[in-house]
Amino acid sequence: MIMSDTAIKKPVTVILFTAATLIFGYFALMGMGVDLFPEVEFPTVTVSSVLRGADPDIMDSDVTDVLESYINTIEGVKTIQSTSREGSSQITVQFVLSKDIDVAAQEVRAKINLAQYELPLDLYPPVVDKLDIASQPILWVAVTSAGSYREMARYADDALRVRLESTSGVGLVEMGGFRDREIRVWLDPKALEARGLTPVDVAGAIRANHIELPGGRVEQPNKEFVVKIEGEFKSAKELEELVITRTPGGVIRLKEVATVTDGAEDLRSMARYNGMASIGLGVMKQSGTNTVAVARAIKKTVAEAAKTAPPGVTVEVAYDSSTFIEKSMRDVMFDLFLGGLLTGGVMVLFLRNFRMTFISVMSIPVSIIGCFVVMYAFGFTINNMTMLAMSLAIGIVIDDAIVVLENIFRHVENDRNVSAMEASRVGTNEVALPVIAASSSIMAVFIPVAFMKGIIGRFFFQFGLSVALAVFISVVVSLTLTPMLCSRLLVHDPHHGRVFTLFENAFKGIERAYGWALDKALRHRWATLGVAILFFAAGIALIPFAKRQFVTQPDESSFLVRYELPTGTSIYTTDQALRKIETLVYSQKEVSAGFGMAGSGGSSVNRGMMFVNLISPSQREASQEDVMTRVRALIKEALPEANIGVD
């Protein structure tokens, strides 16, 4: 064939292409994102609405029902689920898998705009967002302090949050257990009535005077200055001196009709780290970024911030999802490398020639690393699916090279008058079509895997294409690099050593045993067919007894406890439930640390969660699944009224 003939005649060109493939593949590998699974977009859109002070019935009838009636007219809607709480409503719209998520979100926004005239006037504009699993926090940072909450909150909000948001790859930082500073004005009804004032008068005075306005600019021949009128009050004491109105008898100040206190927002969320009051900062990465690299940058920022924290304030990473991802990918890379070494060992065992082994094994790194170039161009990431594909491909990509190599070696071994170059040309041309046919059949199996329907197909898309790409590159390598190396490295050697003779005799014994078994099978065809059918039927019969799950439960040395109490439960009751959960969790000897939150702000004060970190698997006897089962049973017994989730 033209490809192999050109490769044999122009070895420098093949070497340059091979080197370029390895170099570009290395840089592609370094530039690819690292995650546990491929990023999959689910065709699900959420609509969140807020109406201050409205009870759940009002939210359901005046907001949720109206929005649902409009959203239900969109083509491709599969299911609509909604939850109406005090002051808030959330609608989850699931579309058919073939629906483009961006188009779906845009259509939902358009329908909500049409529904605006039927919604309450005081309703905040509904927020439409795509459901993105990757938008969950990859890391939680806990800020604790033995001192005042105000100092801890100011540092967490003004210093640490700003530094985290400016870290490369960080998309958003959410805060749990945080209450912002809030100045409250407690009105005295009798004092207002005595002075002929109403709460509206007080609110109007504050609104009119607690402002900052642009004051224009002052121009000079060489400079100009921007003027800003600073009218905002800096403290509660300053606000007390606010003039509400002027009367013939003098001015009426705010302190005469109200009490002003400098405090914090309403308590709607509480957080603790290892039992200490805390503020949690959940860090989300930008879509498509490297989870491990972003987590490393965040941890570096946290370490630097901890050095400059106020006295008594500590900053620690409470939960880090990248730890397991990094360990998992490191283990997979080691398995990939070990698989290559074992493949090389098998080749030495059967070929009994180091030159032939080198030629055949060279197809592995070139095919695998070359595959990373195409994967990078397609936007794939380093994850369990792509690494599973590469691990599987190691044993496949070498097959083509072995077929070509064996046929070339046969010509070199049988005819000493044939040069290695001529043997490479003839031997490759003889098996080129069978090699292409065999590899095409493998690609025909894995390419459809990439285009399976449903959620499973979304996850296996990168797996199927990665295997097919590796096999395709291996065909090119076996028809170019392999014959080129054979033409330069193979030599006719009629003399074989004792090791060669020993293995040759063993292989001939295996060959004789196989010939005997084959002869028996052909003489008793119906019996052979019956045994095959029996094994096939037994396999089919055992399928119902096999356990079913998407992926096996890995031991991440961490898990999440989620709980939900009945609607209407106060934040204090939710916190008491969290304290019970903490007591049960910390009583387990396998637990190393825990970060819990009661309430998630807004109206969801009846919900809570707790991240639990375990000691390393080498230091404990029980598996993560055993600890989770034990904790799940204890919490359900202690909180029978709560919905519990441990995962």
Side-chain angles (χ1 to χ4, degrees):
M1 295 180 65
I2 298 176
M3 183 185 298
S4 57
D5 291 346
T6 304
I8 294 171
K9 294 176 182 178
K10 299 183 181 297
V12 176
T13 303
V14 178
I15 293 174
L16 289 177
F17 270 108
T18 302
T21 300
L22 294 175
I23 292 172
F24 286 118
Y26 171 78
F27 284 106
L29 177 61
M30 295 297 103
M32 292 174 66
V34 180
D35 219 328
L36 193 59
F37 290 105
E39 289 191 4
V40 177
E41 280 192 341
F42 293 90
T44 302
V45 176
T46 60
V47 181
S48 304
S49 308
V50 176
L51 180 60
R52 299 289 186 186
D55 60 45
D57 291 335
I58 295 297
M59 291 299 302
D60 185 56
S61 60
D62 292 0
V63 179
T64 305
D65 287 347
V66 174
L67 293 177
E68 283 183 343
S69 64
Y70 277 87
I71 294 173
N72 199 39
T73 61
I74 300 175
E75 182 183 0
V77 173
K78 187 176 181 181
T79 60
I80 298 179
Q81 295 180 336
S82 61
T83 303
S84 299
R85 300 186 181 91
E86 180 184 350
S88 68
S89 164
Q90 184 167 24
I91 302 173
T92 302
V93 187
Q94 183 179 359
F95 292 86
V96 294
L97 283 174
S98 58
K99 187 81 171 182
D100 185 276
I101 185 62
D102 295 318
V103 174
Q106 187 60 38
E107 291 179 352
V108 171
R109 292 189 184 96
K111 292 297 182 181
I112 289 177
N113 291 335
L114 292 176
Q116 290 289 344
Y117 299 103
E118 299 183 30
L119 297 173
L121 295 177
D122 295 336
L123 181 74
Y124 286 81
V127 177
V128 179
D129 197 9
K130 297 181 294 183
L131 179 63
D132 185 6
I133 296 181
S135 65
Q136 300 300 317
I138 63 171
L139 187 144
W140 280 91
V141 180
V143 181
T144 57
S145 174
S148 66
Y149 177 86
R150 173 69 61 83
E151 183 181 18
M152 178 176 65
R154 185 183 300 115
Y155 170 75
D157 186 36
D158 298 339
L160 183 57
R161 181 180 62 83
V162 174
R163 295 185 67 169
L164 290 174
E165 289 179 338
S166 62
T167 303
S168 176
V170 172
L172 183 67
V173 177
E174 67 175 58
M175 303 185 70
F178 172 75
R179 289 185 292 157
D180 203 356
R181 180 189 180 192
E182 190 172 83
I183 295 180
R184 297 175 180 265
V185 179
W186 304 93
L187 299 176
D188 185 345
K190 293 182 179 180
L192 286 173
E193 185 179 2
R195 291 164 176 77
L197 298 175
T198 65
V200 176
D201 297 325
V202 177
I206 295 175
R207 189 178 298 110
N209 293 276
H210 184 63
I211 55 174
E212 286 190 0
L213 297 172
R217 62 179 180 271
V218 177
E219 297 181 351
Q220 293 182 355
N222 298 324
K223 294 182 180 179
E224 68 175 31
F225 302 92
V226 177
V227 179
K228 183 175 68 173
I229 301 173
E230 295 186 355
E232 290 187 346
F233 297 97
K234 305 299 182 184
S235 64
K237 194 161 187 174
E238 290 182 8
L239 186 59
E240 288 179 343
E241 302 300 325
L242 170 68
V243 176
I244 303 299
T245 186
R246 298 180 184 274
T247 64
V251 297
I252 300 177
R253 300 184 182 275
L254 181 61
K255 63 183 178 181
E256 300 177 31
V257 296
T259 301
V260 183
T261 60
D262 190 349
E265 292 177 322
D266 291 333
L267 184 63
R268 308 296 289 174
S269 175
M270 303 174 70
R272 277 188 298 278
Y273 178 58
N274 290 338
M276 293 183 61
S278 171
I279 294 176
L281 290 86
V283 186
M284 307 175 193
K285 72 182 184 73
Q286 296 174 355
S287 180
T289 53
N290 188 324
T291 301
V292 174
V294 173
R296 287 176 180 172
I298 294 171
K299 286 184 282 190
K300 183 179 180 181
T301 301
V302 170
E304 294 173 352
K307 298 176 182 178
T308 59
V313 176
T314 60
V315 182
E316 296 183 51
V317 175
Y319 169 74
D320 181 10
S321 64
S322 71
T323 302
F324 175 72
I325 297 175
E326 192 170 7
K327 179 181 179 299
S328 178
M329 292 302 105
R330 188 168 57 246
D331 291 344
V332 171
M333 287 293 186
F334 174 77
D335 293 341
L336 200 61
F337 178 73
L338 181 61
L341 288 180
L342 293 177
T343 303
V346 172
M347 291 299 99
V348 171
L349 178 64
F350 281 89
L351 297 178
R352 293 154 291 164
N353 185 300
F354 286 102
R355 292 192 180 193
M356 293 177 62
T357 301
F358 171 76
I359 295 171
S360 61
V361 172
M362 272 298 296
S363 62
I364 296 179
V366 177
S367 301
I368 298 299
I369 297 178
C371 189
F372 288 127
V373 178
V374 188
M375 291 167 60
Y376 178 81
F378 283 176
F380 292 178
T381 59
I382 300 297
N383 55 68
N384 276 344
M385 291 301 174
T386 52
M387 290 299 98
L388 175 63
M390 294 299 99
S391 300
L392 177 64
I394 279 185
I396 298 176
V397 298
I398 200 173
D399 290 347
D400 297 333
I402 292 175
V403 172
V404 174
L405 173 64
E406 183 66 24
N407 198 49
I408 294 173
F409 182 75
R410 180 175 62 85
H411 284 279
V412 173
E413 188 78 0
N414 293 341
D415 192 350
R416 63 167 57 191
N417 296 322
V418 176
S419 65
M421 184 173 294
E422 180 64 19
S424 300
R425 187 186 67 80
V426 175
T428 304
N429 290 340
E430 287 178 347
V431 297
L433 288 179
V435 165
I436 295 174
S439 299
S440 298
S441 64
I442 296 174
M443 295 170 62
V445 171
F446 286 99
I447 290 179
V449 171
F451 296 97
M452 288 192 304
K453 301 295 183 181
I455 297 299
I456 301 296
R458 300 285 180 94
F459 275 93
F460 277 86
F461 176 76
Q462 294 188 13
F463 168 80
L465 283 189
S466 297
V467 175
L469 286 170
V471 173
F472 174 78
I473 295 174
S474 73
V475 175
V476 178
V477 171
S478 65
L479 297 179
T480 55
L481 180 63
T482 300
M484 187 278 292
L485 292 175
C486 288
S487 67
R488 264 65 184 178
L489 298 180
L490 285 187
V491 294
H492 177 76
D493 184 10
H495 304 289
H496 300 295
R498 294 181 179 179
V499 176
F500 183 94
T501 304
L502 177 65
F503 279 103
E504 184 68 17
N505 293 332
F507 291 148
K508 287 182 178 180
I510 296 174
E511 185 178 349
R512 288 192 295 269
Y514 171 69
W516 176 85
L518 183 60
D519 179 69
K520 294 295 183 183
L522 293 176
R523 290 177 180 274
H524 304 84
R525 299 178 182 179
W526 290 109
T528 304
L529 185 61
V531 172
I533 294 175
L534 181 63
F535 274 101
F536 176 77
I540 297 295
L542 291 174
I543 290 178
F545 299 97
K547 295 182 179 180
R548 293 174 174 84
Q549 61 185 68
F550 182 60
V551 292
T552 57
Q553 178 66 43
D555 194 327
E556 303 181 29
S557 294
S558 65
F559 59 88
L560 173 65
V561 177
R562 294 175 288 104
Y563 67 99
E564 181 178 357
L565 298 174
T567 302
T569 303
S570 68
I571 182 63
Y572 302 100
T573 304
T574 305
D575 181 58
Q576 289 299 320
L578 177 60
R579 291 182 182 275
K580 291 182 180 179
I581 293 174
E582 288 176 328
T583 301
L584 296 173
V585 168
Y586 292 138
S587 66
Q588 308 303 309
K589 61 182 181 180
E590 296 88 358
V591 174
S592 61
F595 172 73
M597 286 199 302
S600 57
S603 59
S604 302
V605 295
N606 62 321
R607 298 178 178 181
M609 66 177 184
M610 181 177 182
F611 290 102
V612 182
N613 296 326
L614 306 179
I615 58 179
S616 63
S618 60
Q619 297 176 328
R620 50 183 161 89
E621 297 179 359
S623 67
Q624 175 183 309
E625 188 65 31
D626 294 336
V627 178
M628 291 169 59
T629 303
R630 194 190 313 151
V631 169
R632 187 183 296 111
L634 290 173
I635 296 176
K636 285 185 177 181
E637 183 180 355
L639 299 172
E641 72 280 8
N643 291 326
I644 304 298
V646 180
D647 47 42

